[in-house]
Amino acid sequence: MSKLHIKKGDTVCVLSGDDKGKTGRVLAVQRDKNRVIVEGVNIVVKATKPTAQHPEGGLVKKEAPIHVSNVNLVDPKTGKPTRISIKRVEGKAVRISKKSNQEIK
């Protein structure tokens, strides 16, 4: 499995697809599939049968995963999408924004 430059809780911007330009928080990262689930992006409608949690069943809207190459991290200083580099600081790997050279927490 490869290490991804995006973590759960990051704010990302969608670069391509139907939701191009939207930003949202990362809810989950699927490292084995190189995909992320972003809040409010790539909404799909699923038909569900009645269960104990959803007694009426019906149509449920939820976020579907999108490929990690279609999103970029949002720079906390400028608020725009940016690429990142990884540098070692005191033995730890730290993500650095390419636009502002700021550390990304």
Side-chain angles (χ1 to χ4, degrees), residues 4-12 25-30 36-37 73 95 105:
L4 301 179
H5 62 280
I6 293 176
K7 297 178 182 178
K8 181 179 175 180
D10 285 343
T11 302
V12 295
R25 202 176 84 243
V26 175
L27 300 175
V29 177
Q30 300 173 347
V36 293
I37 298 176
L73 208 56
R95 299 182 298 169
K105 303 283 182 190

Side-chain angles (χ1 to χ4, degrees), residues 9-96:
D10 285 343
T11 302
V12 295
C13 179
V14 179
L15 300 176
S16 64
D18 292 337
D19 295 316
K20 180 178 180 177
K22 288 187 182 178
T23 60
R25 202 176 84 243
V26 175
L27 300 175
V29 177
Q30 300 173 347
R31 282 183 34 205
D32 55 336
K33 297 178 183 176
N34 287 333
R35 293 185 173 271
V36 293
I37 298 176
V38 182
E39 186 176 38
V41 174
N42 199 20
I43 302 291
V44 295
V45 179
K46 291 189 67 113
T48 58
K49 290 185 176 181
T51 61
Q53 288 99 8
H54 298 87
E56 59 277 341
L59 300 176
V60 176
K61 292 183 179 181
K62 61 184 276 187
E63 292 94 354
I66 57 176
H67 200 269
V68 73
S69 67
N70 293 333
V71 296
N72 248 357
L73 208 56
V74 172
D75 190 341
K77 185 175 182 182
T78 63
K80 295 182 180 179
T82 181
R83 293 176 298 145
I84 67 161
S85 65
I86 297 179
K87 293 184 180 178
R88 288 226 171 262
V89 176
E90 299 173 8
K92 288 194 169 190
V94 177
R95 299 182 298 169
I96 306 289

